[in-house]
Amino acid sequence: MNIVVGVTGGIAAYKTVQLVRLLIKAGHEVTVIPTEDALRFVGLPTWEAISRNTVTTSVHDDVARVRHVALGQAADLVIVAPATANTIARMTAGLADDLLGTTLLATTAPVAIAPAMHTEMWRHPSTQANIEILRERGVHILGPGDGELTGGDSGPGRMLEPEELFDEALALLAPQDLAGRTVAVSAGGTREPIDPVRFLGNRSSGRQGVALAAEAAARGARVILVAANISGDVLAAAKHPQIDVRLVGTAAELGDAMRDAAASAAVVVMAAAVADYRPARASDQKLTKEEGVLDRIDLVENDDIVAGLAASRPDGQVIVAFAAETLTDPAARRERAARKRERKGVDLLAVNRADAEHGFENADNAVEVIGDRGVVVASAAGSKPEVARAIWDAVVNLSQ
Ligand code: CTP
């Protein structure tokens, strides 16, 4: 995608360097348009080096290619970070005496701004009135956050962190191809109690499932996220008005919650790592070595939740399962995945390589999505949000 990053004259400009890096790393074409004032904070060579594109502030450069409107016309998204009180006022008035001003007037792409200023300036009626006008015009206002400001002050006015801006930017670029649909996603790992202090569990962090929920919401879906033992940090990425989080602990609880969620869902994604077995009896007293009862735990098999959902699914519902496999040979991994897909009766099975660098507990993941007759319908390697995008693309393709 073509992304224009406008940078205006605030100290937070140094954080925008990281935003540009993240966008480039995710494969986007980025053009940085600073204001003259912004260059006092971060110099032109930095923006050129980091964006790998020519950078200018002026409407008088590259006139042959009508740069003053061409950049805005070609943009898929314009994000201004930081957006100072002055810039916000200028945008409201439609001033266009520099390249950023003309670009903002020439674009029909979504525009987002990340305000950054002192609390008093943010709260001033002029700024608030300008923000309201921009919001009414459809400009996305990202933040500001509440926290430490330059000079030791603290309060609302702090620019959002580059990682947050990156996520928001990608959400704005998301196609609305799941709008009007409800999807049910399970995430995390179940814990099967042995006694009040011990459990049988697994290493799933829930990151991939949470990324799937967040991506579905960004694409317009209403999401029911059934979350098994996910830390608050990880779950924070699922904070979205369209995501309804339901917390569960055991496989039995996850099964109940998913059957309930699946009843109204067009798509079911079982990303949770479900324990295949549970202790036959969970003791309500802590077991001790002294009693000699800890050397053996009798297990009973849990129901296969996703197979059950697939067997009784409503017409047209798409079901996606996951499998973490340690097999290193790709062909063998695919073959096993294809058999698992058949056995579970699901439409798609996303296999991920579970090793030291990928899968459980890691920020990155690599998956292949296996469809009908064992065909690989999609593959993706990268961050868990990137993998989530590829999986939803495959789901959308399937239902077209
Ligand atoms: N799953 C489930 N219920 C279970 C176990 C697993 O719904 N009791 C789901 C998982 O959420 C995942 C898929 O089934 O989407 C694959 O899980 P996996 O453990 O790989 O499958 P198994 O059938 O247990 O195969 P294996 O013997 O290879 O572990």
Side-chain angles (χ1 to χ4, degrees):
M1 295 279 186
N2 271 322
I3 302 177
V4 168
V5 177
V7 187
T8 73
I11 185 72
Y14 79 92
K15 292 202 218 168
T16 307
V17 175
Q18 175 66 1
L19 170 64
V20 173
R21 282 194 61 209
L22 291 170
L23 292 169
I24 298 273
K25 219 174 126 207
H28 298 289
E29 181 70 24
V30 179
T31 306
V32 178
I33 310 182
T35 58
E36 271 302 313
D37 237 22
L39 296 181
R40 290 167 177 258
F41 295 91
V42 178
L44 197 136
T46 302
W47 296 121
E48 290 202 332
I50 212 93
S51 71
R52 302 172 200 161
N53 263 322
T54 318
V55 172
T56 169
T57 62
S58 161
V59 290
H60 305 300
D61 293 332
D62 203 9
V63 177
R65 273 184 286 166
V66 226
R67 197 173 164 87
H68 71 290
V69 289
L71 289 174
Q73 286 168 338
D76 297 300
L77 172 72
V78 180
I79 174 164
V80 183
T84 58
N86 182 51
T87 300
I88 290 167
R90 293 166 58 80
M91 281 177 77
T92 311
L95 295 189
D97 59 355
D98 63 2
L99 189 58
L100 181 57
T102 57
T103 303
L104 283 163
L105 287 188
T107 195
T108 53
V111 174
I113 63 168
M117 66 199 73
H118 267 73
T119 304
E120 293 81 354
M121 294 171 74
W122 170 248
R123 288 198 175 133
H124 193 281
S126 305
T127 307
Q128 287 303 310
N130 290 336
I131 286 286
E132 241 359 271
I133 291 170
L134 293 181
R135 212 192 292 277
E136 271 166 29
R137 287 183 195 155
V139 172
H140 301 270
I141 316 292
L142 313 179
D146 199 327
E148 234 171 81
L149 302 166
T150 321
D153 292 348
S154 179
R158 192 181 154 86
M159 188 172 89
L160 294 187
E161 294 305 314
E163 292 75 17
E164 294 174 291
L165 293 176
F166 174 72
D167 288 345
E168 299 271 5
L170 290 195
L172 290 172
L173 287 169
Q176 292 302 296
D177 47 10
L178 294 172
R181 299 217 239 170
T182 297
V183 306
V185 178
S186 72
T190 66
R191 290 181 181 177
E192 312 301 318
I194 297 168
D195 67 16
V197 296
R198 302 183 180 89
F199 58 82
L200 292 180
N202 59 68
R203 296 164 76 112
S204 176
S205 67
R207 274 200 194 90
Q208 186 61 71
V210 166
L212 282 156
E215 172 69 9
R219 289 163 88 142
R222 198 178 82 79
V223 183
I224 302 169
L225 173 62
V226 174
N229 307 298
I230 301 178
S231 76
D233 267 13
V234 173
L235 209 50
K239 208 170 164 308
H240 189 288
Q242 273 157 240
I243 304 182
D244 169 12
V245 180
R246 302 182 184 173
L247 302 178
V248 296
T250 63
E253 288 167 7
L254 190 135
D256 287 344
M258 281 308 282
R259 280 185 287 276
D260 180 59
S264 62
V267 185
V268 173
V269 180
M270 274 291 288
V274 183
D276 292 312
Y277 292 87
R278 67 178 182 278
R281 281 167 307 281
S283 168
D284 54 6
Q285 298 296 311
K286 186 179 165 197
L287 302 177
T288 62
K289 275 188 291 192
E290 214 174 59
E291 294 161 324
V293 288
L294 265 178
D295 56 345
R296 188 192 160 92
I297 300 169
D298 290 328
L299 300 176
V300 290
E301 198 168 347
N302 282 325
D303 292 339
D304 190 321
I305 301 165
V306 77
L309 290 172
S312 60
R313 70 169 98 183
D315 272 356
Q317 186 179 66
V318 174
I319 304 189
V320 185
F322 268 75
E325 304 289 357
T326 48
L327 286 174
T328 46
D329 176 44
R333 207 165 52 228
R334 264 174 233 138
E335 242 171 70
R336 177 178 289 182
R339 285 200 303 275
K340 198 172 275 189
R341 191 194 77 88
E342 287 281 335
R343 196 168 71 234
K344 302 211 176 231
V346 299
D347 302 288
L348 299 174
L349 188 127
V351 253
N352 61 322
R353 231 165 57 205
D355 59 26
E357 278 97 51
H358 301 91
F360 285 3
E361 292 180 336
N362 288 301
D364 279 357
N365 204 359
V367 303
E368 283 185 332
V369 182
I370 312 290
D372 210 10
R373 291 185 299 275
V375 174
V376 179
V377 295
S379 60
S383 70
K384 289 182 176 174
E386 281 170 87
V387 168
R389 272 194 286 288
I391 291 173
W392 283 116
D393 285 345
V395 169
V396 169
N397 274 340
L398 200 69
S399 31
Q400 264 164 4

